[in-house]
Amino acid sequence: MVIDFIADYYNNIEHYPVLSQVKPGYLRHLLPRSAPLAAEPIEEIIKDIETHIIPGITHWQHPAHFAYFPCTASTAGILGELLTAGLNVVGFSWVASPAATELEAIVMDWLGELLNLPKPFLFSGNGGGVIMGTTCEALLATLVAARDRKLAEIGEGEIGIGKLVVYCSDQTHCAFAKAAKIVGIKQGNVRVVPASKTTSFGLCPDELVRAVRSDRDRGLVPLFLCATVGTTPTAAVDPLLPLCRVAREHDIWVHVDAAYAGAACVCPEFRHVIDGVEGADSFSLNAHKWFLTTLDCCCLWVKDPSALRKSLSTNPEYLRNQASDEGGVIDYKDWQVVVEILRIVQGANTP
């Protein structure tokens, strides 16, 4: 019945208004004041969805939806979600579900090859990829890895972290500033470089050089650059090649946020928009934009997985196992923030 309901929804989606017409707080007046004591038949639940929920949805899959970004659910994506929910696989470590970990690693190399990413980003080249929820998570994970690597050089504590500076353009997604705040970067040390029409709203390398040199002259430590391929306001593309050269000169971690436009690079005629990515440290795109994948699915590749593991891994007794102890497997819990978010926040505030 649920599958039939979803199929009917897609058959008729163009008849709905794209933007929900309800008023704030509408749903509270339609549902009971407290949770029901007895279960309802599925027929009643589906009826409630039709009458109460559907009117309150902005239909991202509607053929006339042009806001934010394309949301590309597909039959294959929906069936994949159904299988995932049905199997209910928990894959935080290899031993928790070997097939989940190994399939993820294989597919991330497949996709990296389709994008023609440089070999050092792939498992076959000693890098590797991981699937996260959103770009926000990818930014957070790479920022904390860069932070910890730099603090190991200059010293930890309030003095050390207070010197770190991160860079972006005024076209960069707001998630970057939020991630920087979470990892303990002072808000005054988030350097926003203005973009302009003369550079097609891409980040100007000369402006970046000036900002970095100014910070160095003041005794600050450049840490991280977020370059964007497909900015939210204008779909602008930052020039990766010269930006990575500047970053390499000043030992700055470069993350390429290709959330929106990176998917286009599977087409050889568009691959040039990420020329220079070989100079970056990490690269991410959202498969739920253009790749017919249900929300949410962010693909992150890094050249140095050990940087993530050093910052994000823990090894409590209840997670120990022979495969992990021998070091021959991937434990994705050590690559991302979902399991380790508390440690990241603590690390930003603990001398």
Side-chain angles (χ1 to χ4, degrees), residues 2-337:
V2 171
I3 290 173
D4 285 344
F5 172 79
I6 294 171
D8 290 342
Y9 168 74
Y10 279 104
N11 279 335
N12 296 288
I13 191 170
E14 69 272 17
H15 300 303
Y16 296 108
V18 180
L19 183 66
S20 172
Q21 305 300 300
V22 301
K23 302 297 183 183
Y26 88 101
L27 193 57
R28 186 168 294 279
H29 302 296
L30 300 175
L31 296 183
R33 293 177 62 87
S34 57
L37 297 177
E40 288 187 337
I42 185 65
E43 291 87 353
E44 291 299 316
I45 294 172
I46 291 178
K47 184 178 179 181
D48 283 347
I49 293 172
E50 290 177 333
T51 58
H52 301 337
I53 303 303
I54 292 295
I57 291 177
T58 292
H59 301 281
W60 283 59
Q61 296 300 128
H62 195 291
H65 179 277
F66 296 106
Y68 302 111
F69 57 85
C71 195
T72 54
S74 62
T75 302
I78 293 169
L79 294 178
E81 290 286 333
L82 179 63
L83 282 167
T84 301
L87 295 173
N88 196 30
V89 171
V90 180
F92 52 79
S93 66
W94 180 89
V95 74
S97 189
T101 296
E102 297 195 12
L103 179 61
E104 182 168 341
I106 291 168
V107 170
M108 288 301 290
D109 261 10
W110 284 353
L111 183 53
E113 290 170 354
L114 284 171
L115 294 163
N116 197 21
L117 288 182
K119 186 114 176 165
F121 282 108
L122 309 180
F123 284 107
S124 56
N126 297 320
V130 56
I131 296 174
M132 297 183 168
T134 66
T135 299
C136 306
E137 292 177 48
L139 288 168
L140 190 56
T142 51
L143 262 170
V144 75
R147 178 200 70 184
D148 290 353
R149 188 170 73 178
K150 186 65 71 174
L151 289 179
E153 299 174 9
I154 68 173
E156 299 186 3
E158 292 296 325
I159 296 177
I161 199 167
K163 292 182 178 180
L164 301 181
V165 185
V166 298
Y167 302 87
C168 64
S169 84
D170 58 5
Q171 305 296 300
T172 302
H173 196 280
C174 60
F176 179 61
K178 180 181 287 189
K181 185 175 183 179
I182 291 173
V183 304
I185 305 299
K186 291 182 177 180
Q187 289 304 284
N189 285 359
V190 177
R191 204 68 69 233
V192 180
V193 181
S196 68
K197 185 178 179 180
T198 58
T199 59
S200 299
F201 296 102
L203 177 57
C204 175
D206 291 339
E207 293 296 329
L208 177 64
V209 169
R210 279 190 277 272
V212 171
R213 287 177 177 171
S214 175
D215 287 328
R216 283 202 176 279
D217 290 343
R218 292 189 292 144
L220 299 175
V221 179
L223 172 68
F224 193 100
L225 167 66
C226 180
T228 307
V229 175
T231 61
T232 301
T234 61
V237 175
D238 291 338
L240 301 186
L241 186 61
L243 290 175
C244 287
R245 286 174 180 162
V246 174
R248 184 166 56 250
E249 181 181 347
H250 296 279
D251 192 27
I252 297 172
W253 181 299
V254 179
H255 176 73
V256 177
D257 171 13
Y260 175 64
C265 295
V266 298
C267 302
E269 63 268 31
F270 297 125
R271 172 56 175 77
H272 65 89
V273 300
I274 59 170
D275 284 352
V277 70
E278 61 274 9
D281 298 274
S282 50
F283 175 91
S284 65
L285 61 78
N286 288 349
H288 54 252
K289 299 169 184 171
W290 299 27
F291 274 164
L292 305 179
T293 302
T294 49
L295 195 75
D296 45 12
C297 181
C298 174
C299 301
L300 168 69
W301 290 266
V302 291
K303 283 183 177 177
D304 182 13
S306 69
L308 292 180
R309 294 195 299 266
K310 288 175 182 177
S311 292
L312 302 175
S313 65
T314 54
N315 194 30
E317 185 62 33
Y318 55 81
L319 292 181
R320 292 193 61 185
N321 61 86
Q322 183 177 348
S324 296
D325 289 347
E326 291 176 351
V329 297
I330 301 166
D331 285 336
Y332 273 127
K333 70 177 179 62
D334 300 333
W335 288 54
Q336 53 195 331
V337 301

